[in-house]
Amino acid sequence: MNDWISHLETQGLVRAAENEWHFGEAVSQAHVPLSSTAIAPLPQYSIMEIAGPDAERFLQGQTSAQVELANGEFAPLTAFCSPKGRMLANGQLMRVDETRYWLLLDIGVVDPLHAHLAKYAPFYKVEITRPETQIFGVLGENAAAQVEAQLDATPPDTWAMAQSEAAVILHHPGPMPRFMIVAPEATALPLWKAFENIATPVGNAVWRLQDIQAGLAWLGDAQRDSYLPQMINWEALGGISFRKGCYTGQEVVARSHFRGQVKKRLLRAQLESDTLPTLGTPVHDTNGKSQGDVVCAALNADGKAEVLAIITQRDEPRELNIDGVPLKRLALPYAIERVDPESMSLQA
């Protein structure tokens, strides 16, 4: 970690907060990948490893993913829930070898999820650890070609993975091509240096903006145990298998789906303001009644704040605001309908 940060600081890295990193002035760099390739350190994520002869069976009883679909090519989205169906974490599942899995998670939920899973681990031949990895993103119109050139690997399709020696390559959706590189620091740092010759370093908020524009919310510790997976449109992104057997919280998640009882949903919107709302900031209607909360925010290329918020569903149209600033609703890039990960895996 020290070598990684020390090198980034020579390139102008400023750590405004623990997991908020930027280069130079703390202004939006969202315009950079519109015209060139950008690279971004991603300290907001971390990796949890589940390894051992029973790793697949252990995960199958805990997660919303059909674990056998994580085959080293397809890397499905997933969620871990409480018995009441509320998410303890959402993430992406990677099989990195026959008995070893990596989970990509918001860094804030790694320790709580570890503590939760550790209650069940003694009944299985598994070990849960947090490997020392670094994560960075490559994004822009030429990102795929640059990833292929630097890692000598065919870039994967969306929600698929590829491996290049010790590094894992993930392809996430968004308005422009973007790839995530996960690797041990000894591998990640030379790769980052190689990309520096062809790409511009930007802050991790640029990647977060891509998440917002993709309608993709990663829940941190503050949102833990608060929402059903459907409230972040997880079934529309293929993050829930309704064909698998029982897992913790499965009955509630399935009942909410088949009975259509999802009272809150993810909203994508823009504020006519350059002030970013903090996570958890309430969204109000014109009567001053809270309708939901902000779960993600970043500045776009025009310097305006874009947000994802989870709000209460209503049949009638409503005008919404954050701290009195009107919210302009923006379209999500996907339909709110069930997408089975089993069908997605066939395309990976």
Side-chain angles (χ1 to χ4, degrees):
M1 174 65 84
N2 289 337
D3 289 345
W4 172 258
I5 292 177
S6 295
H7 176 75
L8 295 186
E9 287 176 340
T10 67
Q11 306 303 305
L13 175 71
V14 177
R15 291 188 285 168
E18 183 178 4
N19 300 315
E20 293 294 329
W21 297 4
H22 57 82
F23 289 85
E25 296 293 331
V27 297
S28 174
Q29 295 180 303
H31 62 280
V32 174
L34 299 176
S35 58
S36 62
T37 302
I39 48 174
L42 301 177
Q44 66 264 47
Y45 301 109
S46 188
I47 297 294
M48 178 185 291
E49 180 175 292
I50 297 92
D54 292 340
E56 179 177 337
R57 188 164 64 92
F58 172 71
L59 285 167
Q60 184 72 359
Q62 294 294 332
T63 181
S64 66
Q66 187 72 269
V67 178
E68 66 179 9
L69 298 179
N71 57 7
E73 296 180 358
F74 182 51
L77 291 175
T78 192
F80 294 82
C81 299
S82 71
K84 295 182 178 181
R86 266 49 183 180
M87 283 181 294
L88 304 176
N90 64 318
Q92 186 176 10
L93 181 63
M94 298 162 266
R95 183 176 179 174
V96 291
D97 63 33
E98 186 175 355
T99 60
R100 188 161 58 101
Y101 294 83
W102 279 0
L103 273 167
L104 175 73
L105 301 163
D106 181 282
I107 194 169
V109 300
V110 173
D111 288 341
L113 182 62
H114 189 169
H116 170 76
L117 294 178
K119 294 183 293 185
Y120 305 95
F123 303 101
Y124 299 84
K125 295 178 181 178
V126 295
E127 184 177 4
I128 305 171
T129 59
R130 187 171 175 176
E132 294 185 0
T133 59
Q134 297 298 340
I135 305 172
F136 67 92
V138 183
L139 60 164
E141 290 303 322
N142 295 322
Q146 302 294 4
V147 165
E148 183 171 12
Q150 298 302 322
L151 286 100
D152 193 25
T154 301
D157 294 330
T158 305
W159 298 131
M161 62 176 282
Q163 291 180 265
S164 176
E165 297 183 357
V168 173
I169 309 162
L170 301 171
H171 184 179
H172 284 193
M176 63 183 61
R178 60 179 183 143
F179 298 87
M180 182 181 287
I181 313 299
V182 185
E185 183 173 314
T187 302
L189 187 53
L191 281 174
W192 173 274
K193 290 179 178 179
F195 277 106
E196 282 178 343
N197 296 322
I198 54 173
T200 303
V202 297
N204 61 312
V206 177
W207 186 273
R208 184 176 292 112
L209 175 67
Q210 294 284 306
D211 280 340
I212 292 170
Q213 294 177 343
L216 178 60
W218 301 94
L219 299 186
D221 187 49
Q223 297 91 29
R224 187 166 51 89
D225 204 13
S226 299
Y227 303 113
L228 292 169
Q230 292 96 322
M231 292 179 182
I232 60 167
N233 302 339
W234 218 231
E235 85 280 31
L237 290 163
I240 308 171
S241 172
F242 292 97
R243 300 181 184 179
K244 67 175 287 183
C246 185
Y247 59 89
T248 303
Q250 182 262 348
E251 183 179 351
V252 177
V253 173
R255 184 170 64 244
S256 298
H257 171 71
F258 290 111
R259 294 184 180 179
Q261 296 175 336
V262 180
K263 297 180 180 179
K264 296 182 178 182
R265 281 286 185 182
L266 197 67
L267 170 76
R268 178 182 167 225
Q270 177 181 305
L271 283 166
E272 288 301 315
S273 169
D274 60 0
T275 300
L276 285 178
T278 58
L279 300 190
T281 298
V283 177
H284 291 107
D285 60 20
T286 53
N287 295 320
K289 184 177 180 181
S290 176
Q291 298 294 312
D293 305 288
V294 172
V295 295
C296 191
L299 296 179
N300 63 22
D302 296 322
K304 304 296 185 182
E306 291 195 21
V307 303
L308 292 177
I310 298 175
I311 65 165
T312 304
Q313 296 293 285
R314 294 285 187 272
D315 292 332
E316 73 280 3
R318 292 165 294 166
E319 294 183 2
L320 300 172
N321 69 83
I322 295 177
D323 293 331
V325 180
L327 272 180
K328 176 185 176 182
R329 295 171 184 257
L330 299 175
L332 290 165
Y334 50 80
I336 305 301
E337 58 187 29
R338 168 179 160 181
V339 175
D340 289 322
E342 289 81 0
S343 63
M344 295 172 63
S345 68
L346 299 175
Q347 303 168 15

